[in-house]
Each structure stands twice: as C-alpha cells, then as structure tokens.
Amino acid sequence: MDRRLERLERELMLVARCSVLTPRERKGQGPDPETPQAPTAKPDTGATPRTESCIPTRLDRSGYLLLSRLDAEGAMTIGRLADALQLDVSTVNRQTGALLRAGLVERIPDPEGGLARKLRVTPQGADRMAAERTCRQTDLSRLLESWAPEDVARFEDVLTRFNREVERQEGRAWPREPGEAASAPE
C-alpha cells in the first residue's frame, strides 16, 4: 500500500498542476506555434489567448474557482469565500479585485442587513464563466476522446467519491446540484 500511496500522491500532484483545462503562457514564452491562437490582449483576470474553439480569452484558475463558488452559492463576503476555499483573506481579496476590475463580480449590500458587503457574479461574469466551462468541457472531451465511455464514467465516479470524502473530512462541502449522486448520469 505504501508504494500505491506514493504513486497516488504523485498523480494527484500532477493533476493539480494540469494546464490542459486552463492553459496559460509563461512569461517570456510565446504560445505553441503549432496551436492556432486567437489574437487577444491579456486582461487583468489572468486570462490568456486560447485556441479557436475558446475565443477570445480564458479565465485563470483562481477566477474560475471564485466565480464558480459564487455562482453555486450566491453572494458571499470575502471572509466567507476565503473560508469556503481555505485561502487567506488577503489572497481572496487580491483575486476578487481582478474580477471586480474586469466587471465579472460586483459588491452589493448584504441582503440580510449585515454590515459586510457581499460579492456576486455579474451577468458579464456569468457569461464568461459559462464560456470558460464550455472551453474546459471541450478540452476535457478532447483529452478523453480515446477512452471507453465506461472508463470515463468510472473515472468520474471515483473522482467524485474522492472529492466528497475530502469535503466530508474537511467539513467544507462544495455546493452541488440537488439530488446529484456520485454516479449520476450526464
């Protein structure tokens, strides 16, 4: 089992650094000359040029994660968002600042009358997130196109089970669709 855990830890580390779903250029390196790129400027959100199927820009990992959480749970304070993502408040403040400047989120008064202002996704942010989700699903489809459907289903089930166990142990569940089961069909 020790060798299996060693390999599993390595594979999870490799998934965490995976750029297939959120490609980005490194400073000083241009895009892959073999990959057609859309001509775009890099916005404050960390978006990067992308292949023709995902024109014009991509959200960076943190932007997508923050927008996804706000979309799933509704308006949240910076503190609550930081707690949900297990990040430092200053980190979330910096990341949401880029989303605010890009018009993807907005600050609103607390609908329940609290003193802290909340962040919510703007219509532009919802559109960008939907476009990003489509790009990610397209890239994932390409990545898994040679897999048998039953292998994809098994991978989804095991990954969902793993994520739910992490959430259970940490006491921080990610909001999911009502009735969404670990083995739910597409």
Side-chain angles (χ1 to χ4, degrees), residues 82-94:
D83 184 53
L85 300 173
Q86 293 184 296
L87 295 170
D88 187 75
V89 171
S90 64
T91 300
V92 174
N93 199 33
R94 180 177 36 78

Side-chain angles (χ1 to χ4, degrees), residues 1-12:
M1 184 68 155
D2 289 337
R3 181 69 180 131
R4 278 190 188 263
L5 289 176
E6 185 179 309
R7 289 192 311 256
L8 182 58
E9 185 277 331
R10 179 177 175 268
E11 294 304 321
L12 287 171

Side-chain angles (χ1 to χ4, degrees), residues 77-167:
T77 64
I78 294 268
R80 189 161 159 235
L81 193 53
D83 184 53
L85 300 173
Q86 293 184 296
L87 295 170
D88 187 75
V89 171
S90 64
T91 300
V92 174
N93 199 33
R94 180 177 36 78
Q95 292 170 344
T96 57
L99 297 173
L100 283 160
R101 288 188 299 278
L104 304 181
V105 297
E106 61 187 348
R107 282 194 173 97
I108 61 167
D110 184 345
E112 291 137 22
L115 295 177
R117 295 178 55 87
K118 292 189 173 186
L119 294 168
R120 78 171 166 204
V121 178
T122 64
Q124 179 185 355
D127 290 346
R128 283 285 302 277
M129 187 179 57
E132 177 65 25
R133 187 166 284 138
T134 297
C135 287
R136 286 170 174 248
Q137 290 171 359
T138 298
D139 289 347
L140 191 56
S141 175
R142 285 186 194 126
L143 183 67
L144 300 174
E145 68 187 354
S146 67
W147 288 34
E150 56 273 7
D151 288 341
V152 174
R154 190 169 36 253
F155 182 58
E156 176 203 359
D157 287 345
V158 170
L159 190 56
T160 300
R161 181 178 168 201
F162 176 82
N163 281 330
R164 286 179 183 234
E165 183 61 25
V166 168
E167 293 166 8

